[in-house]
Amino acid sequence: MNVTHQNIVVLGAGESGVGAAILAKAKGLSVFVSDASPIKDKFKAELNEHQIAWEEGGHTLERVLAADEIIKSPGIPNSSNLIKTILEAGITPICEIEFAARYTKAKLIAITGSNGKTTTTHLTYHILKKAGLNVEMAGNMGVSLARRLATNFNPDYFVIELSSFQLEDMYKFHANVAILLNITPDHLDRYNHSMDEYGKAKMRITQNQTKDDAFIYYADDEEIRKQLSQHIIEANKLPFSMQDETVEGGYYDAKTQTITIKNKLTMSIHDLALKGQHNVQNALAAGIAGKIFEIRKESLRESLADFTNVEHRLEFVAKVNGIEFINDSKATNINSTWYALECMTNPVVWIVGGVDKGNDYEELLPLVKEKVKAIICLGKENNKIIESFQNDIEVIVEAFSASEAVAYGYRLAKKGETVLLSPACASFDLFENFEDRGQQFKTAVRAL
């Protein structure tokens, strides 16, 4: 079939869906957008501006099934009745990244992992940009790859953040450099509560790689090791480790507190812009990617030292009467919050809660006992959190808005202490998304 006559249906009118629709239209394809929920006004305006037909509040099945190709939102699970019906009709939906990647000849650096992928994506972009390469960023956070390409902007390099949800619906996508940071429990409700299923989705980042490509991964991660035993990896493997200095990619020496990247660049972790053990791992992964593209040692060192962290990830907000407020709203799982608590050097008033994704709080208990003086539950349903920590933390209160949580934090913390928003949960019970949660937190802090 001639691709220029393809009939495209896009399911979901968020950033990725609307980006895909605009790109498809720009490439001369026939496009229809269908969303089961109401479409945001800003996206409606864009669809209308590009003369793209759309519907909201439900799907017209006949029109959906008339598609030559269906691009679906990562938020729609393949277990849904709609997708089952589409599959039965002989159509395999793809995600926006799979569609968009057809239209670029750029080198693709793809990054995934349960934690750290946004920071590592921004850091890798920062390294390449500072070295003078023609590079752009896209994917799971911020602007979709399709939207970037629809503007005829086609750089030499794309750094792309990928979620497991996106990877599920990618088949021919080819990463020149694939980075897998870790596989820890997250979104397990989507994967039949199976770490193996979740891990397999993450490993799809390596599909279609050849011996000319690179696969950077965390060698110490137990789940990654399990997956590696089940997969044949064609790419050049460049693992990084916090324990083994013989690995090919890079390692951290705890004794000297230094990192070494591809045996060429050694740097004290005290010179890294980002603090905490998890950011040592992120720096190693991004640094190895930089070395693959032959970034000079001096430039690489400067980039790792002057990088500014992304919004909502251990973001310093303000110090009010000696009390520090930190926004880690992007911590939507236990592992992310573990890293946040591990970084804390002052006594912590911890704001936690939201939509629980099957969390086991047991692994946080040692850190909570050591560092947390009070807990503020920020969610509609807090029983599990209260039960998990009530025997060890004397003060546990409930808040039902960001401003209420911040007011509690200000009251419970003393000078020299930290109020940390690191929810370990999704945000959809009280907020639109984790960005909204973080913004409301920051607004409330600044209003003190």
Side-chain angles (χ1 to χ4, degrees):
M1 182 183 293
N2 186 337
V3 74
T4 57
H5 294 111
Q6 262 192 322
N7 174 28
I8 304 289
V9 167
V10 179
L11 299 177
E15 170 59 29
S16 68
V18 172
I22 292 170
L23 177 61
K25 182 80 174 183
K27 297 301 178 183
L29 307 179
S30 170
V31 196
F32 176 62
V33 176
S34 177
D35 199 315
S37 302
I39 300 173
K40 288 184 181 175
D41 289 344
K42 67 174 182 176
F43 290 133
K44 280 184 189 173
E46 279 193 292
L47 293 170
N48 290 337
E49 181 190 338
H50 290 275
Q51 298 181 316
I52 295 168
W54 54 267
E55 67 178 352
E56 62 181 346
H59 303 292
T60 304
L61 198 56
E62 296 79 7
R63 194 159 183 185
V64 170
L65 295 178
D68 298 316
E69 187 162 59
I70 293 173
I71 303 166
K72 81 173 181 70
S73 162
I76 304 171
N78 286 320
S79 59
S80 71
N81 290 334
L82 174 65
I83 301 304
K84 284 178 181 173
T85 302
I86 290 168
L87 290 167
E88 284 165 7
I91 305 168
T92 301
I94 62 170
C95 80
E96 165 262 329
I97 299 275
E98 173 88 351
F99 174 71
R102 298 170 183 169
Y103 298 100
T104 180
K105 291 189 168 74
K107 295 272 188 192
L108 304 180
I109 301 105
I111 300 170
T112 197
S114 306
N115 300 294
K117 55 186 176 289
T118 301
T119 297
T120 305
T121 299
H122 280 79
L123 181 54
T124 304
Y125 168 78
H126 177 66
I127 287 168
L128 300 186
K129 187 81 171 172
K130 196 173 175 92
L133 301 186
N134 179 16
V135 60
E136 194 47 81
M137 207 170 29
N140 187 47
M141 58 9 163
V143 179
S144 63
L145 179 63
R147 185 185 292 276
R148 293 274 189 224
L149 292 169
T151 58
N152 287 324
F153 178 74
N154 211 341
D156 299 324
Y157 302 86
F158 263 115
V159 185
I160 305 169
E161 178 187 331
L162 294 176
S163 70
S164 58
F165 293 0
Q166 290 169 311
L167 285 161
E168 285 175 30
D169 302 308
M170 293 167 66
Y171 302 94
K172 294 183 178 177
F173 176 89
H174 169 216
N176 302 97
V177 176
I179 299 176
L180 176 54
L181 296 165
N182 43 59
I183 303 174
T184 61
D186 196 14
H187 306 297
L188 292 187
D189 49 342
R190 174 112 162 198
Y191 297 99
N192 299 312
H193 298 280
S194 164
M195 280 296 291
D196 189 57
E197 276 189 40
Y198 176 51
K200 281 182 169 59
K202 289 292 188 192
M203 288 299 292
R204 290 173 71 88
I205 199 166
T206 64
Q207 64 186 357
N208 306 313
Q209 284 197 298
T210 71
K211 59 183 174 53
D212 297 322
D213 303 315
F215 176 42
I216 300 167
Y217 63 93
Y218 183 34
D220 307 339
D221 188 289
E222 186 184 339
E223 291 296 331
I224 292 179
R225 287 201 299 267
K226 283 182 193 171
Q227 290 296 330
L228 284 172
S229 71
Q230 301 171 38
H231 288 79
I232 296 169
I233 306 295
E234 299 287 349
N236 180 26
K237 295 200 277 285
L238 293 169
F240 60 95
S241 174
M242 307 287 276
Q243 303 162 3
D244 178 8
E245 64 180 60
T246 66
V247 295
E248 291 290 312
Y251 69 92
Y252 165 64
D253 185 333
K255 198 177 290 181
T256 61
Q257 299 276 286
T258 57
I259 59 170
T260 300
I261 295 167
K262 287 200 80 184
N263 303 318
K264 292 182 179 175
L265 169 71
T266 299
M267 186 172 177
S268 167
I269 65 162
H270 303 296
D271 294 331
L272 296 175
L274 300 176
K275 305 307 175 191
Q277 184 180 317
H278 61 302
N279 281 318
V280 172
Q281 296 165 27
N282 297 339
L284 282 167
I288 295 164
K291 289 303 291 181
I292 288 169
F293 296 110
E294 300 180 343
I295 306 299
R296 290 182 305 107
K297 279 196 285 188
E298 296 76 13
S299 178
L300 195 53
R301 191 184 299 276
E302 281 178 23
S303 298
L304 292 172
D306 67 9
F307 176 70
T308 304
N309 203 359
V310 296
E311 193 177 15
H312 311 299
R313 168 61 81 222
L314 286 170
E315 175 191 13
F316 174 78
V317 180
K319 192 173 265 193
V320 184
N321 291 331
I323 300 168
E324 189 176 50
F325 288 82
I326 292 179
N327 167 30
D328 193 40
S329 181
K330 200 171 188 305
T332 59
N333 59 47
I334 291 288
N335 207 245
S336 270
T337 293
W338 189 95
Y339 285 131
L341 289 170
E342 185 252 343
C343 290
M344 296 297 113
T345 53
N346 303 325
V348 173
V349 174
W350 175 33
I351 303 174
V352 56
V355 179
D356 187 293
K357 296 185 283 186
N359 286 350
D360 178 3
Y361 293 101
E362 188 71 28
E363 64 187 273
L364 293 178
L365 204 50
L367 274 174
V368 170
K369 283 181 184 176
E370 179 191 348
K371 304 200 176 197
V372 173
K373 63 172 279 188
I375 289 174
I376 301 164
C377 300
L378 178 59
K380 286 185 178 176
E381 179 47 68
N382 303 309
N383 288 346
K384 191 171 169 184
I385 296 167
I386 293 167
E387 286 168 14
S388 298
F389 300 110
Q390 63 187 356
N391 294 332
D392 299 284
I393 301 299
E394 196 175 321
V395 179
I396 301 179
V397 298
E398 295 187 81
F400 299 97
S401 69
S403 56
E404 190 181 3
V406 167
Y408 269 129
Y410 186 56
R411 199 178 312 156
L412 292 169
K414 294 186 178 127
K415 186 176 180 179
E417 297 179 343
T418 299
V419 176
L420 169 69
L421 169 67
S422 189
C425 297
S427 54
F428 308 119
D429 56 344
L430 295 174
F431 306 95
E432 191 173 317
N433 46 41
F434 76 81
E435 292 98 337
D436 177 41
R437 176 169 59 190
Q439 290 295 352
Q440 288 196 37
F441 175 77
K442 292 196 288 185
T443 300
V445 171
R446 288 164 184 155
L448 284 173

